[in-house]
């Protein structure tokens, strides 16, 4: 059920946080299937654009789990390819929204069993930009250049380079035949904890993720939960040829629901119109007699009549005369 504000309850989508080997590393896994489907539906996306939305929403949610407090993360991956970029707004409470700059990224092309590439659609020239809002006076922000154009590996590069946290990250979505519908979407983030000897774990995690551990785990029947996804990927890490001897434990900390959520509203749309100023509002009244504000994230449309625009204009510039 979807409300007028674009909030969709998504049963089954969740994010799980865990600690590896008593504090060597943190592991965050997410299942985002229905959330990604909702983002794709709202934007009418298909092909590469749908894949970018799926990987982007997952990456944003994984990034918004780095503090214990309420956190909001804005992730922008801007490229020189046809999609031009992906913008994600995610919260530690599990809400996320996203959009692609353009929907003309083309069809997904990949052979059976191969990971589909986003590089041609997103581009290899551009930036990864992250803004973290943890409720303090100032936000934390950083950016790094695109390296691969694959979105998740570029976000991983950002974490390692800008935030200087040894990290391994992978996000993916499996599609039905013909790349028409998302069957399952998810991702995993493994990070060394401060003061730990976690670098070897991250190196092994990166190796098994590059070798396809995530899509193999996502393809399991029945579909895995977030906790099961974390355990499946980390089991491959333990069993990898370069693994250290012994079985390392995974201690689950918490599981929280994930949902497509957009806080846009008619009031916010009205506020955006007020920012245009009295002169431009007067011009809209005379030339169009109405206005429509469309949310970039959820595509919700808010229409304003000539009379409503005049009320906004008068509140914005109370001394202004009637538009001529």
């Amino acid at each position: 059920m979807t409300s007028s504000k674009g909030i969709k309850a998504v049963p089954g989508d969740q994010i799980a946080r865990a600690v590896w080997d008593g504090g060597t590393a943190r592991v965050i896994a997410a299942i985002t299937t229905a959330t990604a489907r909702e983002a794709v539906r709202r934007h009418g996306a298909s092909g590469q654009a749908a894949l970018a939305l799926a990987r982007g929403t997952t990456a944003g949610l994984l990034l918004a789990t780095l503090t214990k407090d309420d956190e909001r993360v804005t992730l922008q991956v801007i490229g020189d390819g046809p999609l031009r970029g992906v913008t994600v707004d995610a919260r530690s409470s599990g809400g996320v929204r996203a959009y692609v700059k353009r929907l003309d990224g083309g069809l997904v092309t990949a052979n059976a069993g191969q990971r589909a590439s986003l590089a041609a659609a997103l581009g290899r020239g551009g930036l990864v930009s992250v803004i973290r809002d943890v409720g303090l006076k100032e936000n934390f922000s950083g950016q790094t250049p695109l390296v691969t154009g694959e979105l998740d590996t570029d976000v991983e590069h950002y974490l390692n380079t800008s935030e200087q946290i040894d990290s391994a990250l992978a996000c993916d979505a499996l599609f039905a035949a013909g790349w028409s519908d998302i069957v399952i979407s998810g991702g995993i983030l493994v990070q060394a904890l401060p003061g730990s000897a976690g670098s070897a774990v991250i190196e092994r995690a990166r190796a098994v993720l590059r070798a396809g551990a995530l899509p193999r785990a996502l393809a399991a029947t029945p579909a895995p939960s977030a906790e099961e996804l974390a355990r499946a990927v980390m089991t491959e890490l333990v069993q990898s040829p370069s693994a250290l001897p012994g079985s390392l434990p995974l201690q689950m900390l918490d599981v929280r629901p994930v949902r497509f959520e957009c806080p846009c509203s008619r009031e916010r749309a009205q506020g955006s119109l007020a920012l245009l100023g009295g002169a431009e509002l007067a011009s809209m009244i005379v030339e169009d007699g109405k206005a429509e504000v469309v949310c970039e994230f959820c595509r919700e449309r808010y229409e304003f009549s000539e009379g409503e625009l005049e009320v906004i204009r008068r509140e914005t510039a109370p001394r202004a005369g009637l538009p001529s």
Side-chain angles (χ1 to χ4, degrees), residues 65-88:
T65 59
L66 302 189
T67 67
K68 295 179 181 179
D69 303 317
D70 185 35
E71 180 178 7
R72 177 181 177 183
V73 169
T74 301
L75 165 66
Q76 282 191 310
V77 182
I78 303 168
D80 57 6
L83 290 178
R84 307 308 295 173
V86 184
T87 299
V88 184

Side-chain angles (χ1 to χ4, degrees), residues 172-189:
D172 216 340
L174 305 185
F175 283 71
W179 300 92
S180 57
D181 299 305
I182 296 175
V183 175
I184 188 169
S185 174
I188 188 165
L189 170 64

